Amino acid sequence: MSDIEKAAAALLCGELVIMPTETVYGLAGDATNAAAIAKIYALKGRPQFNPLIAHVPDLDEALRHAALPSSAKKLAEAFWPGPLTIVAQRRADSSIAELACAGLTSVALRAPSHPVAQELLRAIKRPLAAPSANRSGRISPTNSEAARSEFGEAAPLILEGGACAHGLESTIIGFEHDQARLLRPGAIAREAIEALIGPLAAAPVGVHAPGMLSSHYAPRARIRLNATAPEAGEAYLAFGSTAPHRGLSLSETGDLTEAAAKLYAHLRALDALGADIIAVAPIPMHGLGEAINDRLKRAAAPRD
Ligand code: TXA
Ligand code: MG
C-alpha cells in the first residue's frame, strides 16, 4: 500500500492524518465524520469548538458545499488551488459535519495546491477538515518534523511533503452576499485580492477564530517587536540584514515572500536556543508584511 492509500484508509476509518499543504501542515480528518472532527479538537486541545477549514480538490467540489457569490468564484478561479480560504453560506445539503462548522451557517473552504494534499483529497473523495497541525495556541508547523514534535507519541500518521512553500496560513476572505471581508491576512497579499474584486472590508470585531485570539502562534520565549537590534541575552530575528550571533534572518535582502516562508521555522529554531526573549526586527506592512506582522503581534501578546 502506498502512503496515500494508507492515509486514505485511516481517514475513512475516522482516524486523523497529518498532511502537508503549501501553507502549513494540517491535522486532517474526514470532514463528513463528526467523530473524526471531535478527535481533531481533542488532539489540538482547542479550548472550545471553533470552525475548521474544509479542504476540497477544486471549485466544483466547493460548490457542493457552499453557495459562492460571483466575486468568491472569481477569487477561486484566480487562486485555487492555492492558499486562499473562502467563507460563505453553507448549503443545506452539504455533507460536511455541522461540528466542523461549529454550528455556524457558514463554511470555510480551501483547495490546497500541495501535490500530496491534492492526491489525498482525490483518493478519499471527501472533504478534509484540517486546522494547522499544532497544539492550540502554538506555532504552526512548516515541516513534518515540527508537526511530529507537537504531538510526540500521540502523533497520527504523517505524510511527508517537505518544507511548506508559503510557510504562513491561507488568507481567509468571508462573504456575506457579495460583500467581502478580510477575516485573516495570510499567504496571498491583500493587494492581489483587491486587484481582482476591489476593497476588502475589515473583519468584524470580537473573537471569531482561534487565529484571531490575541495570544496565538506563541513560542516559549517572550517576543519583543520592532527591535532594531538585540539587547544582551536576547535571541534576534533579523529582516533585511544578516543575522547576528544567536540570531536568524527572515530575509537578508528584505524579501517578504522569503520572510513569510521562514517565519515559523525560525521562531521555533530561536526558541530552541533557550533565550527568555526573542527580539524581532521591524517588518514593513505592505504585501505579505500584513500577515507576518499579524502573526508576530499575536505571538507577542500577553498570555493567560
Ligand atoms: O493555511 C491554512 O489555512 C491551514 C492549512 C492546514 O490549510 N489551516 C488553518 O486552519 O490555518 P486553522 O483551523 O488553524 O484556521 C482556520 C481559521 C480559523 O481562524 C477559523 O476560525 C476560521 O478559519 N474559520 C473557519 N470556518 C469559519 C467560518 N465559518 N466563519 C469564520 N471563520 C471561520
Ligand atoms: Mg492554527
Side-chain angles (χ1 to χ4, degrees):
M1 248 207 265
S2 72
D3 286 351
I4 294 280
E5 285 165 346
K6 271 186 219 155
L11 288 164
L12 289 172
C13 292
E15 298 301 320
L16 306 184
V17 165
I18 291 179
M19 82 171 168
T21 84
E22 69 280 16
T23 58
V24 299
Y25 275 67
L27 180 63
D30 176 356
T32 68
N33 179 343
I37 305 302
K39 279 187 193 165
I40 296 178
Y41 289 122
L43 188 55
K44 268 188 78 86
R46 274 200 175 173
Q48 70 216 65
F49 289 164
N50 284 298
L52 304 175
I53 297 171
H55 296 70
V56 291
D58 51 31
L59 177 57
D60 282 349
E61 178 65 22
L63 291 170
R64 293 176 201 271
H65 304 287
L68 297 189
S70 62
S71 48
K73 276 193 201 136
K74 203 165 168 183
L75 289 184
E77 277 159 8
F79 296 112
W80 279 355
L84 170 77
T85 295
I86 292 173
V87 175
Q89 198 58 36
R90 180 174 187 269
R91 277 176 53 159
D93 59 354
S94 164
S95 57
I96 294 172
E98 278 182 36
L99 186 54
C101 306
L104 298 174
T105 55
S106 55
V107 61
L109 294 161
R110 160 163 129 76
S113 65
H114 194 293
V116 174
Q118 275 287 332
E119 233 190 295
L120 186 61
L121 286 164
R122 290 183 194 276
I124 177 172
K125 297 189 178 67
R126 293 186 189 180
L128 289 175
S132 49
N134 53 273
R135 303 238 182 217
S136 187
R138 305 250 323 145
I139 304 172
S140 306
T142 55
N143 56 54
S144 58
E145 210 29 66
R148 181 172 289 112
S149 73
E150 279 296 314
F151 301 109
E153 295 279 282
L157 175 67
I158 300 178
L159 285 174
E160 180 56 56
C164 302
H166 293 283
L168 205 60
E169 292 83 354
S170 60
T171 301
I172 305 183
I173 308 291
F175 286 88
E176 275 165 55
H177 308 294
D178 222 10
Q179 159 87 273
R181 288 178 192 280
L182 179 61
L183 298 183
R184 178 177 73 183
I188 297 176
R190 166 202 289 277
E191 291 88 333
I193 290 166
E194 292 187 332
L196 282 181
I197 62 167
L200 293 169
V205 258
V207 173
H208 289 261
M212 296 173 193
L213 291 172
S214 47
S215 174
H216 206 74
Y217 312 104
R220 186 200 45 78
R222 278 185 297 126
I223 301 279
R224 184 167 72 85
L225 297 176
N226 295 315
T228 46
E231 286 171 9
E234 289 180 342
Y236 190 61
L237 190 59
F239 178 79
S241 64
T242 54
H245 175 61
R246 283 174 47 95
L248 288 170
S249 184
L250 287 173
S251 168
E252 294 186 3
T253 58
D255 178 323
L256 288 165
T257 304
E258 181 188 2
K262 290 184 173 165
L263 178 67
Y264 292 145
H266 277 7
L267 280 175
R268 279 178 187 273
L270 290 178
D271 213 17
L273 295 177
D276 289 336
I277 298 178
I278 300 171
V280 183
I283 314 284
M285 263 306 277
H286 63 264
L288 294 185
E290 184 177 11
I292 296 171
N293 279 300
D294 170 79
R295 303 304 190 274
L296 284 170
K297 195 176 82 197
R298 295 176 204 282
R303 303 168 199 166
D304 328 302

